[in-house]
Coordinates of all heavy atoms in Angstrom, one line a residue:
M27 N 68.9 100.2 175.3 CA 68.4 101.5 175.0 C 66.9 101.4 174.8 O 66.5 100.4 174.1 CB 69.1 102.0 173.7 CG 69.0 103.5 173.5 SD 69.8 104.1 172.0 CE 71.5 103.5 172.0
T28 N 66.1 102.3 175.3 CA 64.7 102.2 175.2 C 64.3 102.8 173.8 O 65.1 103.4 173.1 CB 64.0 103.1 176.2 OG1 64.3 104.5 175.9 CG2 64.4 102.7 177.6
N29 N 63.1 102.5 173.4 CA 62.6 103.0 172.1 C 62.6 104.5 172.0 O 62.9 105.1 171.0 CB 61.2 102.5 171.8 CG 61.2 101.0 171.3 OD1 62.2 100.4 171.3 ND2 60.0 100.5 171.1
E30 N 62.3 105.1 173.1 CA 62.4 106.6 173.2 C 63.8 107.1 173.0 O 64.0 108.1 172.2 CB 61.8 107.1 174.5 CG 61.7 108.6 174.6 CD 61.1 109.0 175.9 OE1 60.1 108.5 176.3 OE2 61.7 109.9 176.6
E31 N 64.8 106.5 173.6 CA 66.2 106.8 173.4 C 66.6 106.6 172.0 O 67.4 107.4 171.4 CB 67.1 106.1 174.4 CG 66.9 106.4 175.8 CD 67.5 105.5 176.8 OE1 67.6 104.3 176.5 OE2 68.0 106.0 177.9
I32 N 66.2 105.5 171.4 CA 66.6 105.1 170.0 C 66.0 106.2 169.1 O 66.7 106.7 168.2 CB 66.1 103.7 169.6 CG1 66.8 102.7 170.4 CG2 66.2 103.5 168.1 CD1 66.3 101.3 170.3
S33 N 64.7 106.6 169.3 CA 64.1 107.6 168.4 C 64.8 108.9 168.6 O 65.0 109.6 167.6 CB 62.6 107.7 168.8 OG 61.9 108.5 167.9
K34 N 65.2 109.3 169.8 CA 65.9 110.5 170.0 C 67.2 110.5 169.2 O 67.6 111.5 168.6 CB 66.1 110.7 171.5 CG 66.8 112.1 171.8 CD 66.9 112.2 173.3 CE 67.6 113.6 173.6 NZ 67.7 113.8 175.1
K35 N 68.0 109.4 169.3 CA 69.2 109.3 168.6 C 69.0 109.4 167.1 O 69.8 110.1 166.4 CB 69.9 107.9 168.9 CG 70.7 107.9 170.2 CD 72.0 108.6 170.0 CE 72.8 108.5 171.3 NZ 73.9 109.3 171.3
C36 N 68.0 108.8 166.6 CA 67.7 108.9 165.1 C 67.4 110.3 164.7 O 68.0 110.8 163.7 CB 66.5 108.0 164.8 SG 66.8 106.2 164.8
K37 N 66.6 111.0 165.5 CA 66.3 112.4 165.2 C 67.6 113.3 165.3 O 67.8 114.2 164.5 CB 65.2 112.9 166.1 CG 63.9 112.3 165.7 CD 62.8 112.7 166.7 CE 61.5 112.0 166.4 NZ 60.5 112.2 167.4
E38 N 68.4 113.0 166.2 CA 69.7 113.7 166.4 C 70.6 113.6 165.2 O 71.3 114.6 164.8 CB 70.4 113.2 167.7 CG 71.7 113.8 168.0 CD 72.4 113.2 169.2 OE1 71.7 112.6 170.0 OE2 73.6 113.3 169.2
Y39 N 70.5 112.5 164.5 CA 71.4 112.3 163.3 C 70.6 112.4 162.0 O 71.0 112.0 161.0 CB 72.0 110.9 163.4 CG 73.1 110.9 164.4 CD1 72.9 110.4 165.7 CD2 74.4 111.3 164.1 CE1 73.9 110.4 166.7 CE2 75.4 111.3 165.0 CZ 75.2 110.9 166.3 OH 76.2 110.9 167.3
G40 N 69.4 113.0 162.1 CA 68.6 113.3 160.9 C 68.0 112.1 160.2 O 67.7 112.1 159.1
L41 N 67.7 111.1 161.0 CA 67.1 109.9 160.5 C 65.6 109.9 160.9 O 65.2 109.2 161.8 CB 67.8 108.6 161.1 CG 69.3 108.6 160.9 CD1 69.9 107.5 161.7 CD2 69.7 108.5 159.4
Y42 N 64.8 110.6 160.1 CA 63.4 110.8 160.5 C 62.5 109.7 160.0 O 61.5 109.5 160.7 CB 62.9 112.2 160.0 CG 63.7 113.3 160.7 CD1 64.7 114.0 160.0 CD2 63.4 113.7 162.0 CE1 65.4 115.1 160.6 CE2 64.1 114.7 162.6 CZ 65.1 115.4 161.9 OH 65.8 116.4 162.6
N43 N 62.8 109.1 158.9 CA 61.9 108.0 158.4 C 62.3 106.7 158.9 O 62.8 105.8 158.2 CB 61.9 108.1 156.9 CG 61.3 109.3 156.3 OD1 60.4 109.8 156.8 ND2 61.9 109.8 155.2
H44 N 62.2 106.5 160.2 CA 62.7 105.3 160.9 C 61.6 104.5 161.5 O 60.5 105.1 161.9 CB 63.8 105.6 161.9 CG 63.3 106.4 163.1 ND1 63.1 107.7 163.1 CD2 62.9 106.0 164.3 CE1 62.7 108.1 164.3 NE2 62.5 107.1 165.0
T45 N 61.8 103.2 161.6 CA 60.9 102.3 162.4 C 61.8 101.5 163.3 O 62.8 101.0 162.9 CB 60.2 101.3 161.4 OG1 59.5 102.0 160.4 CG2 59.3 100.4 162.1
I46 N 61.4 101.5 164.6 CA 62.1 100.7 165.6 C 61.5 99.3 165.7 O 60.3 99.2 165.9 CB 62.1 101.4 166.9 CG1 62.7 102.8 166.8 CG2 62.9 100.6 168.0 CD1 62.5 103.7 168.0
N47 N 62.3 98.3 165.5 CA 61.9 96.9 165.6 C 61.8 96.4 167.0 O 62.5 97.0 167.9 CB 62.8 96.1 164.7 CG 62.8 96.6 163.3 OD1 61.7 96.7 162.6 ND2 63.9 96.9 162.8
D48 N 61.2 95.3 167.2 CA 61.1 94.7 168.6 C 62.4 94.4 169.2 O 62.5 94.4 170.4 CB 60.2 93.4 168.5 CG 58.7 93.7 168.2 OD1 58.3 94.9 168.4 OD2 58.0 92.8 167.8
D49 N 63.4 94.1 168.4 CA 64.7 93.7 168.9 C 65.6 95.0 169.1 O 66.8 94.8 169.4 CB 65.4 92.7 168.0 CG 65.7 93.3 166.6 OD1 65.3 94.4 166.3 OD2 66.3 92.5 165.8
G50 N 65.1 96.2 168.9 CA 65.9 97.4 169.1 C 66.6 97.9 167.9 O 67.3 98.9 167.9
T51 N 66.6 97.1 166.8 CA 67.2 97.6 165.6 C 66.3 98.6 164.9 O 65.1 98.7 165.2 CB 67.5 96.4 164.6 OG1 66.2 95.7 164.3 CG2 68.5 95.4 165.2
V52 N 66.9 99.3 163.9 CA 66.1 100.4 163.2 C 66.1 100.1 161.7 O 67.1 99.8 161.1 CB 66.8 101.7 163.5 CG1 66.1 102.9 162.8 CG2 66.8 102.0 165.0
D53 N 64.9 100.3 161.1 CA 64.8 100.3 159.7 C 64.7 101.7 159.2 O 64.0 102.5 159.9 CB 63.5 99.5 159.3 CG 63.6 98.0 159.5 OD1 64.7 97.5 159.8 OD2 62.6 97.4 159.5
I54 N 65.3 102.1 158.2 CA 65.3 103.4 157.6 C 64.7 103.4 156.2 O 65.2 102.7 155.4 CB 66.7 104.1 157.6 CG1 67.4 104.1 159.0 CG2 66.6 105.5 157.0 CD1 66.7 105.0 159.9
D55 N 63.7 104.2 156.0 CA 63.1 104.3 154.7 C 63.8 105.5 154.0 O 63.5 106.7 154.2 CB 61.6 104.6 154.7 CG 61.0 104.6 153.4 OD1 61.6 104.2 152.4 OD2 59.8 105.2 153.3
G56 N 64.9 105.2 153.2 CA 65.7 106.3 152.6 C 67.1 106.1 152.8 O 67.6 105.0 153.2
D57 N 67.9 107.2 152.7 CA 69.3 107.1 152.8 C 69.8 107.4 154.3 O 69.1 108.1 155.0 CB 70.0 108.2 151.9 CG 69.7 108.0 150.5 OD1 69.5 106.8 150.1 OD2 69.8 108.9 149.7
V58 N 71.0 106.9 154.6 CA 71.6 107.2 155.9 C 73.0 107.8 155.6 O 73.8 107.2 154.9 CB 71.8 106.0 156.7 CG1 72.6 106.3 158.0 CG2 70.4 105.4 157.1
S59 N 73.2 109.0 156.1 CA 74.5 109.7 155.9 C 75.1 110.1 157.2 O 74.6 111.0 157.9 CB 74.3 111.0 155.0 OG 75.6 111.6 154.9
L60 N 76.1 109.3 157.7 CA 76.7 109.5 158.9 C 78.2 109.8 158.7 O 79.1 109.3 159.4 CB 76.6 108.3 159.8 CG 75.1 107.9 160.2 CD1 75.1 106.6 160.9 CD2 74.5 109.0 161.1
E61 N 78.5 110.5 157.6 CA 79.9 110.8 157.2 C 80.5 111.9 158.0 O 79.8 112.8 158.4 CB 80.0 111.1 155.7 CG 79.4 110.0 154.9 CD 79.2 110.4 153.4 OE1 78.4 111.4 153.2 OE2 79.9 109.9 152.6
L62 N 81.8 111.8 158.3 CA 82.6 113.0 158.8 C 82.1 113.4 160.2 O 82.1 114.6 160.5 CB 82.6 114.1 157.9 CG 83.3 113.9 156.5 CD1 83.0 115.0 155.5 CD2 84.8 113.7 156.7
L63 N 81.6 112.5 161.0 CA 81.1 112.9 162.3 C 82.0 112.4 163.5 O 81.6 112.6 164.7 CB 79.7 112.2 162.5 CG 78.6 112.7 161.5 CD1 77.3 111.9 161.7 CD2 78.4 114.2 161.6
E64 N 83.2 111.9 163.2 CA 84.1 111.5 164.2 C 83.5 110.4 165.1 O 83.8 110.3 166.3 CB 84.7 112.6 165.0 CG 85.4 113.6 164.1 CD 86.0 114.8 164.9 OE1 86.0 114.8 166.1 OE2 86.3 115.8 164.3
L65 N 82.7 109.6 164.6 CA 82.0 108.5 165.4 C 83.0 107.4 165.6 O 83.8 107.0 164.7 CB 80.8 107.9 164.6 CG 79.7 108.8 164.3 CD1 78.7 108.1 163.4 CD2 79.0 109.3 165.5
T66 N 83.0 106.8 166.8 CA 83.8 105.6 167.1 C 82.9 104.4 167.1 O 83.4 103.2 167.0 CB 84.4 105.7 168.5 OG1 83.4 105.9 169.5 CG2 85.5 106.8 168.5
E67 N 81.6 104.6 167.1 CA 80.6 103.5 166.9 C 79.3 104.1 166.4 O 79.1 105.4 166.4 CB 80.3 102.8 168.3 CG 79.7 103.7 169.3 CD 79.5 103.0 170.6 OE1 80.2 102.1 171.0 OE2 78.6 103.4 171.4
L68 N 78.5 103.3 165.8 CA 77.3 103.8 165.2 C 76.3 104.1 166.3 O 76.2 103.5 167.3 CB 76.7 102.8 164.2 CG 77.5 102.5 163.0 CD1 77.0 101.3 162.2 CD2 77.6 103.7 162.1
P69 N 75.5 105.2 166.1 CA 74.6 105.6 167.2 C 73.4 104.7 167.5 O 72.9 104.7 168.6 CB 74.0 107.0 166.6 CG 74.2 106.9 165.2 CD 75.4 106.0 164.9
V70 N 73.0 103.9 166.5 CA 71.9 102.9 166.7 C 72.3 101.6 165.9 O 73.2 101.7 165.1 CB 70.5 103.4 166.2 CG1 70.1 104.6 167.1 CG2 70.5 103.8 164.8
R71 N 71.6 100.5 166.1 CA 71.8 99.3 165.3 C 70.8 99.3 164.2 O 69.6 99.3 164.5 CB 71.6 98.1 166.2 CG 72.7 97.9 167.3 CD 72.5 96.7 168.2 NE 71.1 96.5 168.6 CZ 70.5 95.4 168.6 NH1 71.0 94.3 168.2 NH2 69.2 95.3 169.0
F72 N 71.3 99.3 163.0 CA 70.5 99.3 161.8 C 70.1 97.9 161.4 O 70.9 97.0 161.6 CB 71.2 100.0 160.7 CG 71.4 101.5 161.0 CD1 72.6 101.9 161.5 CD2 70.4 102.4 160.7 CE1 72.8 103.2 161.8 CE2 70.7 103.8 161.0 CZ 71.9 104.2 161.5
R73 N 68.9 97.7 160.8 CA 68.6 96.4 160.2 C 68.4 96.5 158.7 O 69.1 95.9 157.9 CB 67.3 95.9 160.8 CG 67.0 94.4 160.3 CD 65.8 93.9 161.0 NE 64.6 94.6 160.4 CZ 63.4 94.1 160.5 NH1 63.1 93.0 161.1 NH2 62.3 94.8 160.0
I74 N 67.5 97.4 158.2 CA 67.3 97.6 156.8 C 67.3 99.1 156.5 O 66.7 99.9 157.2 CB 65.9 97.0 156.4 CG1 65.8 95.5 156.7 CG2 65.5 97.3 155.0 CD1 64.4 94.9 156.5
V75 N 68.0 99.4 155.4 CA 68.1 100.7 154.9 C 67.6 100.6 153.4 O 68.3 99.9 152.6 CB 69.5 101.4 155.0 CG1 69.5 102.7 154.3 CG2 69.9 101.5 156.4
T76 N 66.6 101.3 153.0 CA 66.0 101.2 151.7 C 66.8 102.0 150.6 O 66.6 101.9 149.4 CB 64.5 101.6 151.6 OG1 64.4 103.0 151.9 CG2 63.7 100.7 152.5
G77 N 67.7 102.9 151.1 CA 68.5 103.7 150.2 C 70.0 103.4 150.4 O 70.3 102.3 150.6
D78 N 70.8 104.5 150.3 CA 72.2 104.3 150.5 C 72.6 104.4 152.0 O 71.9 105.1 152.8 CB 73.0 105.4 149.8 CG 72.8 105.4 148.3 OD1 72.4 104.3 147.7 OD2 73.0 106.5 147.6
F79 N 73.7 103.8 152.3 CA 74.2 103.9 153.7 C 75.7 104.3 153.7 O 76.5 103.6 153.1 CB 74.1 102.5 154.4 CG 74.5 102.5 155.8 CD1 73.6 102.8 156.8 CD2 75.8 102.2 156.2 CE1 74.0 102.9 158.2 CE2 76.2 102.3 157.5 CZ 75.3 102.6 158.5
H80 N 76.0 105.5 154.2 CA 77.3 106.1 154.2 C 77.7 106.3 155.7 O 77.1 107.1 156.4 CB 77.4 107.4 153.5 CG 77.0 107.2 152.0 ND1 77.8 106.8 151.1 CD2 75.8 107.5 151.4 CE1 77.2 106.8 149.9 NE2 75.9 107.2 150.1
C81 N 78.8 105.7 156.1 CA 79.4 106.0 157.4 C 80.9 106.1 157.3 O 81.6 105.8 158.3 CB 79.0 104.9 158.4 SG 79.6 103.2 158.0
C82 N 81.4 106.6 156.2 CA 82.8 106.7 156.0 C 83.4 108.0 156.7 O 82.6 108.8 157.1 CB 83.2 106.6 154.5 SG 82.3 107.8 153.5
E83 N 84.7 108.0 156.7 CA 85.4 109.2 157.3 C 85.1 109.4 158.7 O 84.9 110.5 159.2 CB 85.1 110.5 156.5 CG 85.4 110.4 155.0 CD 86.9 110.3 154.7 OE1 87.7 110.8 155.5 OE2 87.3 109.6 153.7
N84 N 85.0 108.3 159.5 CA 84.8 108.4 160.9 C 86.0 107.6 161.6 O 86.9 107.3 160.9 CB 83.5 107.7 161.3 CG 82.3 108.6 161.0 OD1 82.2 109.7 161.6 ND2 81.4 108.2 160.2
S85 N 85.9 107.3 162.8 CA 86.9 106.5 163.6 C 86.3 105.3 164.1 O 86.5 104.9 165.2 CB 87.4 107.4 164.7 OG 88.1 108.5 164.2
L86 N 85.4 104.6 163.3 CA 84.8 103.4 163.7 C 85.8 102.3 163.9 O 86.7 102.1 163.1 CB 83.8 102.9 162.6 CG 82.6 103.9 162.3 CD1 81.8 103.3 161.2 CD2 81.7 104.0 163.6
T87 N 85.7 101.5 165.0 CA 86.6 100.4 165.3 C 86.1 99.1 164.7 O 86.9 98.2 164.6 CB 86.8 100.3 166.8 OG1 85.6 100.1 167.4 CG2 87.5 101.6 167.3
D88 N 84.8 99.1 164.4 CA 84.2 97.9 163.8 C 82.9 98.3 163.1 O 82.6 99.5 163.1 CB 84.0 96.7 164.8 CG 83.1 97.1 165.9 OD1 82.1 97.8 165.6 OD2 83.3 96.8 167.0
L89 N 82.3 97.4 162.4 CA 81.1 97.7 161.7 C 79.8 97.2 162.4 O 78.8 97.0 161.8 CB 81.1 97.1 160.3 CG 82.2 97.7 159.4 CD1 82.2 97.1 158.0 CD2 82.0 99.2 159.2
E90 N 79.9 97.0 163.7 CA 78.8 96.5 164.5 C 77.7 97.5 164.5 O 78.0 98.7 164.6 CB 79.2 96.3 166.0 CG 78.2 95.7 166.8 CD 78.6 95.4 168.2 OE1 79.8 95.2 168.5 OE2 77.8 95.4 169.1
G91 N 76.5 97.1 164.2 CA 75.4 98.0 164.0 C 75.0 98.4 162.6 O 74.0 99.0 162.4
C92 N 75.9 98.0 161.7 CA 75.6 98.3 160.3 C 74.4 97.5 159.8 O 74.2 96.4 160.4 CB 76.8 97.9 159.4 SG 78.1 99.2 159.4
P93 N 73.7 98.0 158.8 CA 72.5 97.2 158.4 C 72.8 95.9 157.8 O 73.8 95.6 157.2 CB 71.9 98.2 157.4 CG 72.9 99.2 157.0 CD 73.9 99.2 158.1
D94 N 71.8 95.0 158.0 CA 71.9 93.7 157.4 C 71.5 93.8 155.9 O 72.0 93.0 155.1 CB 70.8 92.7 158.0 CG 71.1 92.5 159.5 OD1 72.3 92.4 159.9 OD2 70.2 92.3 160.3
V95 N 70.7 94.7 155.5 CA 70.2 94.9 154.2 C 70.3 96.4 153.8 O 69.8 97.3 154.5 CB 68.8 94.5 154.0 CG1 68.3 94.7 152.5 CG2 68.6 93.0 154.3
V96 N 71.0 96.7 152.7 CA 71.1 98.0 152.1 C 70.6 97.9 150.7 O 71.3 97.2 149.9 CB 72.5 98.6 152.2 CG1 72.5 100.0 151.6 CG2 73.0 98.7 153.6
S97 N 69.6 98.6 150.3 CA 69.1 98.5 148.9 C 69.9 99.3 147.9 O 69.9 99.0 146.8 CB 67.6 99.0 148.9 OG 66.8 98.2 149.6
G98 N 70.6 100.3 148.4 CA 71.4 101.1 147.6 C 72.9 100.9 147.8 O 73.3 99.7 147.9
Y99 N 73.7 101.9 147.8 CA 75.1 101.9 147.9 C 75.6 101.8 149.4 O 75.0 102.6 150.2 CB 75.7 103.1 147.2 CG 77.2 103.2 147.2 CD1 77.9 102.4 146.3 CD2 77.9 104.0 148.0 CE1 79.3 102.4 146.2 CE2 79.3 104.1 147.9 CZ 80.0 103.3 147.1 OH 81.3 103.3 147.0
F100 N 76.6 101.0 149.7 CA 77.1 100.9 151.1 C 78.5 101.5 151.1 O 79.4 101.0 150.3 CB 77.1 99.5 151.6 CG 77.6 99.3 152.9 CD1 76.8 99.4 154.1 CD2 79.0 99.0 153.1 CE1 77.4 99.2 155.3 CE2 79.5 98.9 154.4 CZ 78.7 99.0 155.5
S101 N 78.8 102.4 151.9 CA 80.2 103.0 152.0 C 80.6 103.2 153.4 O 79.9 103.8 154.2 CB 80.2 104.4 151.3 OG 81.4 105.0 151.5
A102 N 81.7 102.5 153.8 CA 82.2 102.6 155.2 C 83.7 102.7 155.2 O 84.3 102.5 156.2 CB 81.8 101.3 155.9
A103 N 84.3 103.1 154.1 CA 85.8 103.3 154.0 C 86.3 104.5 154.8 O 85.6 105.4 155.0 CB 86.2 103.4 152.6

């Protein structure tokens, strides 16, 4: 995925305070809320989230793409 495609995906999911890293991962300054979206996979690969990360109530088959670091609460149940 190109940086432009990654940025478009971020905006589509309301992730405006994002930085795209050289390896294609995304850092988010703030919270990520991807709840109740019927996702089977995460829309981008996250690296650092400075707030909470919520991706529960979806149909995720694995946690691939979840952030390496979450400064707040992590919820994926």
Side-chain angles (χ1 to χ4, degrees):
M27 200 179 308
T28 67
N29 284 1
E30 185 177 310
E31 292 168 327
I32 293 169
S33 187
K34 184 177 177 181
K35 279 284 184 188
C36 286
K37 290 175 184 173
E38 180 181 335
Y39 287 95
L41 307 171
Y42 295 104
N43 295 324
H44 67 276
T45 302
I46 302 169
N47 302 302
D48 291 340
D49 63 357
T51 60
V52 176
D53 293 344
I54 302 292
D55 184 18
D57 297 333
V58 173
S59 180
L60 298 172
E61 301 169 298
L62 299 165
L63 298 175
E64 299 180 14
L65 298 174
T66 56
E67 62 184 30
L68 294 173
V70 296
R71 294 182 313 138
F72 296 94
R73 185 178 72 163
I74 297 172
V75 174
T76 64
D78 297 338
F79 184 87
H80 300 281
C81 64
C82 55
E83 303 293 329
N84 284 298
S85 298
L86 297 175
T87 56
D88 59 41
L89 295 178
E90 186 175 335
C92 280
D94 297 327
V95 176
V96 177
S97 296
Y99 184 76
F100 178 90
S101 174

